Amino acid sequence: MDLHSLVKDSSLIQSGAYINGAFVSAKSGATFDVTNPVTNEVIAKVADCDASMMEDAISAAHAAQPAWAAKTAKERANILKKWYDLCMENADDLAIILTAEMGKPLAEAKGEIGYGSSFIEWFAEQAKRVSGDVLESPFADKKFMTLRQPVGVFAAITPWNFPNAMITRKVAPGIAVGCACVLKPAEQTPLSALALAELAHRAGIPAGIINIIPGMDAPALGDVMCRDERVRKITFTGSTEVGRILMRQSADTIKKISLELGGNAPLIVFDDADLDVAVEGAIASKYRNAGQTCVCANRVFVQAGIYDKFAAALTEKVAAMKVGDGFDNDVVQGPIIDQQGFEKVERHVADAVAKGGTILTGGKAHEMGGTFYEPTVITGAQKEMQLYSEETFGPVAALFKFDTEEEAITLANDTIFGLAAYYFTKDVGRVFRVGEALEYGMAIANTGAYSSEIGPFGGVKASGLGREGSIYGVDEFLEIKLMVVGGI
Ligand code: ADP
């Protein structure tokens, strides 16, 4: 695959780290391979940065941040809006780069570019609405007020499953309110990150405000980010295991932390659900990105009265899904990102079958070979199965049977995770009862698709800290300062 020949503007394909406004090679000259997960072909060689380059990037961000913060919010907003416009103008190329390095169907990649860009537009607008308060003073001769000020330099670490949107959802709010950032993209998908940097550069975001440091040695780069005193905040999307490491490493420098970690989403179908809506919702939530999102339904709980009908209707749709190269027409499911991810799916299915599960469709590697896996439905799922407690991150829907609403809530909450939960019912009272009882950051009734810049995204328990997007997203990048003026 010659990626350069696929895009209109090949200067969006960058291979250097982006530090202090310039694309640079690794000091050591080292590079790492970016591969297309469909063919395993090397599509680019990207700078493999070491810890000293991360330090350089932090120095650049630290030097540039005060002047950026001193601009008016409107000035920053105008530059961000230019960045947004450039992302939309180049959406087709950004989607091609994304599909080439990550494998999701091109239509999904285009959807992600729209979604990712929406955070830039939204936070350009929100930056102008950051305000403090004048408080009712307890003293006649003193005034009390609050200022909301940028935290300063923040570090971001992002995953491969949304190579564009997980970057904009962090970078846009941060820089909109006057922070500067150093970002390490996932090693599988650095090209989408560097393309965003190229467009940010063209939009006029000053040197040092956004720095992108790709590298294979994530622990070493992460360690520098966490231990540097000049970095005042860390924001991460990825596994709970790595989230714990970053939180521990950030303890010495007492950083502000936001974490978007793993999920184990329940999807509950009650007897009184609209069957078509529930099936459509389950497909949207379970099979998007081949099941590789942290809000994908992982455990499907179906009430006894509708269980067989739901299983049959879901199976019919899932069996008809077209699997293949994301660049081919009508493909709705691409490959699993890598061999390790593929093996986890195989392990979960084998374990489920060994423990009495029945495969209604799929259940094995796809004939495309590589890391393609057949979209799968399993009935007779039990609590003892690995897929009950671990996130599968693949296209496997396991159907558990339950009898009462109380039982469904207990099962749904029986996990250390608490990101997204879905439920389907036409009973209005139940919509509220269940929504309030679910120990999740996001309780979603009667739909499987809800991602937008408007809704606060985030989890409770082991799924993380903080919220991204929405009117709350800027709070993560601001400190509240009390100002008291006496002698009045
Ligand atoms: P995934 O299973 O999605 O790859 P990870 O949590 O391993 O989840 O990866 C998410 C991001 O975290 C990637 O950018 C990866 O390089 C980075 N990462 C992995 N391990 C560490 C670490 N020890 N310190 C900092 N970043 C890390």
Side-chain angles (χ1 to χ4, degrees):
M1 171 189 287
D2 177 14
L3 187 53
H4 285 83
S5 69
L6 291 179
V7 295
K8 286 193 285 276
D9 179 356
S10 63
S11 61
L12 291 176
I13 303 166
Q14 292 288 345
S15 56
Y18 183 68
I19 299 177
N20 206 17
F23 288 97
V24 293
S25 304
K27 282 182 191 164
S28 64
T31 60
F32 64 96
D33 292 344
V34 182
T35 54
N36 171 255
V38 173
T39 59
N40 247 334
E41 230 180 311
V42 176
I43 54 172
K45 289 182 176 294
V46 167
D48 187 3
C49 300
D50 61 12
S52 77
M53 290 183 78
M54 180 61 79
E55 279 164 17
D56 292 348
I58 295 170
S59 298
H62 190 248
Q65 191 264 332
W68 178 243
K71 285 189 186 296
T72 65
K74 190 164 177 161
E75 285 170 326
R76 288 194 302 271
N78 285 340
I79 297 175
L80 262 83
K81 272 194 222 138
K82 263 188 221 150
W83 190 23
Y84 166 76
D85 289 340
L86 287 170
C87 288
M88 295 314 288
E89 282 163 26
N90 291 278
D92 287 348
D93 279 356
L94 292 176
I96 288 167
I97 293 168
L98 200 162
T99 291
E101 66 179 344
M102 192 268 153
K104 71 174 63 174
L106 193 57
E108 260 189 64
K110 281 188 188 154
E112 181 180 338
I113 301 305
Y115 174 57
S117 305
S118 75
F119 291 108
I120 304 176
E121 181 188 43
W122 172 264
F123 286 112
E125 292 157 354
Q126 286 304 105
K128 293 185 279 186
R129 301 189 180 98
V130 171
S131 52
D133 292 301
V134 177
L135 308 173
E136 188 57 37
S137 177
F139 305 103
D141 62 342
K142 294 174 190 158
K143 288 284 180 206
F144 278 61
M145 63 200 85
T146 58
L147 306 182
R148 292 173 82 214
Q149 296 181 308
V151 295
V153 176
F154 68 97
I157 301 178
T158 51
W160 51 264
N161 61 346
F162 289 89
N164 174 285
M166 294 305 98
I167 292 176
T168 54
R169 203 162 74 177
K170 296 178 186 312
V171 172
I175 68 167
V177 300
C179 298
C181 81
V182 294
L183 182 139
K184 192 205 82 63
E187 48 274 34
Q188 297 91 336
T189 57
L191 299 179
S192 293
L194 297 170
L196 275 169
E198 166 65 22
L199 294 175
H201 189 88
R202 288 185 205 172
I205 292 176
I209 297 305
I210 296 177
N211 301 277
I212 310 276
I213 303 90
M216 285 300 284
D217 193 350
L221 297 174
D223 192 63
V224 175
M225 288 166 145
C226 293
R227 297 195 192 284
D228 196 305
E229 293 282 356
R230 296 170 297 175
V231 175
R232 293 315 317 146
K233 179 195 167 69
I234 183 139
T235 169
F236 170 71
T237 296
S239 61
T240 296
E241 192 191 331
V242 173
R244 288 190 183 105
I245 294 173
L246 296 173
M247 204 167 169
R248 256 183 232 122
Q249 287 180 171
S250 298
D252 287 343
T253 51
I254 317 285
K255 288 196 205 321
K256 207 171 158 83
I257 299 179
S258 21
L259 303 169
E260 301 288 355
L261 308 176
N264 183 2
L267 184 147
I268 310 169
V269 183
F270 288 100
D271 282 346
D272 59 20
D274 179 314
L275 183 65
D276 293 341
V277 170
V279 169
E280 197 186 310
I283 301 255
S285 143
K286 173 71 255 184
Y287 296 95
R288 188 159 69 112
N289 210 11
Q292 304 172 105
T293 89
C294 47
V295 293
C296 276
N298 199 52
R299 299 167 299 153
V300 182
F301 300 112
V302 190
Q303 205 162 8
I306 199 173
Y307 190 92
D308 291 341
K309 263 193 281 178
F310 178 81
L314 181 68
T315 300
E316 193 187 326
K317 292 257 167 133
V318 171
M321 284 177 154
K322 187 168 171 193
V323 178
D325 187 332
F327 284 114
D328 291 345
N329 282 341
D330 305 326
V331 162
V332 294
Q333 190 190 294
I336 304 294
I337 187 74
D338 55 22
Q339 189 60 25
Q340 199 188 341
F342 176 81
E343 282 167 14
K344 185 174 192 190
V345 177
E346 281 200 314
R347 174 165 62 78
H348 276 193
V349 172
D351 172 74
V353 170
K355 291 175 180 156
T358 304
I359 290 171
L360 297 192
T361 185
K364 57 183 191 303
H366 192 272
E367 60 190 20
M368 290 274 302
T371 58
F372 284 95
Y373 199 88
E374 291 185 351
T376 299
V377 177
I378 299 176
T379 52
Q382 305 294 331
K383 279 178 76 166
E384 295 68 35
M385 295 175 178
Q386 290 173 5
L387 46 72
Y388 179 81
S389 47
E390 282 178 40
E391 205 175 14
T392 304
F393 239 59
V396 179
L399 276 45
F400 301 76
K401 195 179 282 185
F402 72 91
D403 291 309
T404 66
E405 181 179 308
E406 199 184 359
E407 190 188 348
I409 292 168
T410 304
L411 285 166
N413 289 339
D414 179 27
T415 168
I416 60 165
F417 297 104
L419 194 56
Y422 306 85
Y423 57 111
F424 292 82
T425 173
K426 284 196 288 197
D427 179 326
V428 176
R430 180 172 268 165
V431 166
F432 284 93
R433 277 195 309 277
V434 175
E436 284 175 25
L438 288 168
E439 295 164 359
Y440 286 82
M442 298 172 279
I444 313 296
N446 297 325
T447 179
Y450 65 95
S451 292
S452 96
E453 74 278 27
I454 313 293
F457 189 101
V460 299
K461 295 160 74 180
S463 289
L465 298 170
R467 294 293 177 270
E468 292 189 335
S470 82
I471 55 170
Y472 311 108
V474 290
D475 296 349
E476 308 289 338
F477 299 91
L478 292 166
E479 294 284 11
I480 294 175
K481 177 183 282 176
L482 169 66
M483 226 174 109
V484 177
V485 181
I488 289 172

